[in-house]
Amino acid sequence: MDLKSCIRTIPDYPKPGILFYDISTLIGNGKAWCHAVDRLCEAVEAFGADRLAGIEARGFLVSAPVADRLGIGFTMLRKQGKLPGAVVSYRYDLEYGADTIEIQADAIRPGERVVVVDDLLATGGTFGAGIELLRRIGADVRGAVCLVELGFLGGRQRLDAPVTSLVVYDE
């Protein structure tokens, strides 16, 4: 199945000059979404993960069905101030400023094999921050998995982990 044909592009969103890759059309197509989840499961299994770490917010949509299907745990990497209890934070720079992501301090056992999941890999800033945050709390980060990769932005080269993408846009 051609998953790329199920992803809508929206020009000039969220601002002029940006081409937005909208996965809501993929998720809304039952057969295509089922196929995408199957392929994501294969990618995660290849990394030998015990747990998935989904990046807020669309990464939750991608991670949850994969974790359910594989019978493995799922942990949320969230924006600052969104998680209860003790958290570990990581502040990182983006091309347009800075951001902070957090994880609950007890969410991952030291040495647990984790795959980081999000909907989109662009410049690699958020994915890289997730990988670094997980390593700081003792996770064995096995890889990164995403639905869409904007290959022309070079994010893959900035990650210190192997990457699997279902759909790659090279221009």
Side-chain angles (χ1 to χ4, degrees):
M1 175 173 280
D2 178 17
L3 295 177
K4 194 179 267 190
S5 69
C6 299
I7 298 169
R8 173 175 50 193
T9 56
I10 300 173
D12 298 321
Y13 182 82
K15 61 184 184 178
I18 301 292
L19 182 61
F20 186 81
Y21 297 87
D22 183 13
I23 65 164
S24 65
T25 49
L26 172 64
I27 293 170
N29 178 327
K31 287 183 181 180
W33 181 235
C34 186
H35 179 72
V37 172
D38 287 344
R39 289 192 49 210
L40 290 164
C41 287
E42 291 169 5
V44 169
E45 284 182 313
F47 287 125
D50 300 314
R51 177 175 300 273
L52 299 182
I55 299 173
E56 186 168 342
R58 289 183 301 263
F60 300 168
L61 295 171
V62 178
S63 301
V66 173
D68 177 64
R69 224 181 256 178
L70 295 177
I72 62 176
F74 164 61
T75 296
M76 296 178 287
L77 302 180
R78 298 215 57 191
K79 294 176 183 172
Q80 189 171 25
K82 301 285 186 175
L83 291 170
V87 298
V88 177
S89 300
Y90 182 75
R91 183 172 172 80
Y92 61 102
D93 292 323
L94 295 168
E95 61 277 5
Y96 51 83
D99 208 348
T100 301
I101 59 171
E102 296 180 331
I103 188 171
Q104 289 173 311
D106 61 354
I108 304 287
R109 294 182 312 274
E112 193 166 16
R113 297 173 305 196
V114 179
V115 171
V116 184
V117 181
D118 204 357
D119 69 316
L120 179 81
L121 170 58
T123 62
T126 304
F127 252 118
I131 290 167
E132 179 61 26
L133 176 60
L134 287 159
R135 286 186 175 146
R136 285 185 178 188
I137 65 166
D140 175 6
V141 178
R142 293 297 180 100
V145 173
C146 62
L147 282 174
V148 176
E149 178 180 352
L150 305 182
F152 57 90
L153 293 177
R156 174 184 293 260
Q157 290 74 33
R158 294 181 186 100
L159 298 185
D160 183 24
V163 178
T164 300
S165 306
L166 299 192
V167 175
V168 178
Y169 292 91
D170 288 320
E171 41 182 78

